Amino acid sequence: MYEGIHHVSLVVTDLKKALYFYEGILGFKADKERPQFGFPGVWYNFGATQLHLIVNPQGKALRGTDDLDSRDGHFAIRVTDIPGLLKKLDHFKVPYHNKPENKTPWHQVYVCDPDGNLIEFNGDRQSDSESDL
């Protein structure tokens, strides 16, 4: 009956800052098929799942903080290049919580967007020889 998660929506208060983070830093590509809802926002596609950013100047991230706490509410995006992601985050001086070894079978990296929305990126663990490349 349930096929998967269609989309995750996040409240953002400043679209310019959000676009810089999601597109300028992370490199996400906006979905040009987003309807004109009468309020600003953007959609991003990841396979069969979408991320919707909805501008609400009075909105707040449900967390109410930008602390990097992996036990707090978040969503996860699977990535194919964890070392490349870390390099990008370092280049743009984005704070992150790196968890290469944890109780899951994957490498986890946590970041917050400008509104404090917590995002987990995860991917295959690199062997010692692969991580030196």
Side-chain angles (χ1 to χ4, degrees):
M1 182 164 120
Y2 305 105
E3 293 182 308
I5 294 177
H6 180 269
H7 70 270
V8 172
S9 292
L10 300 177
V11 171
V12 298
T13 56
D14 184 321
L15 187 58
K16 187 174 180 179
K17 286 181 183 178
L19 292 176
Y20 177 73
F21 179 77
Y22 287 98
E23 295 177 17
I25 294 175
L26 297 178
F28 291 5
K29 304 290 183 217
D31 180 347
K32 303 297 184 198
E33 300 298 316
R34 179 186 181 269
Q36 292 301 319
F37 289 110
F39 57 86
V42 64
W43 289 359
Y44 301 107
N45 296 310
F46 305 98
T49 305
Q50 293 179 327
L51 171 62
H52 295 181
L53 302 183
I54 299 172
V55 178
N56 182 348
Q58 290 78 40
K60 292 184 182 177
L62 295 175
R63 300 176 60 242
T65 181
D66 61 0
D67 291 342
L68 294 171
D69 182 350
S70 62
R71 296 181 300 156
D72 213 339
H74 65 277
F75 67 99
I77 297 175
R78 189 72 170 176
V79 298
T80 58
D81 183 6
I82 290 285
L85 172 70
L86 294 173
K87 191 177 204 179
K88 183 179 291 205
L89 296 174
D90 287 337
H91 175 77
F92 287 100
K93 297 179 177 41
V94 174
Y96 60 87
H97 182 59
N98 188 20
K99 296 177 75 174
E101 300 296 327
N102 58 75
K103 293 183 179 184
T104 72
W106 52 83
H107 186 148
Q108 298 170 307
V109 178
Y110 291 87
V111 303
C112 283
D113 76 2
D115 285 283
N117 294 299
L118 186 63
I119 306 165
E120 172 189 333
F121 292 97
N122 66 51
D124 293 334
R125 288 197 172 120
Q126 302 289 314
S127 69
D128 288 338
S129 60
E130 288 177 306
S131 62
D132 292 337
L133 296 178

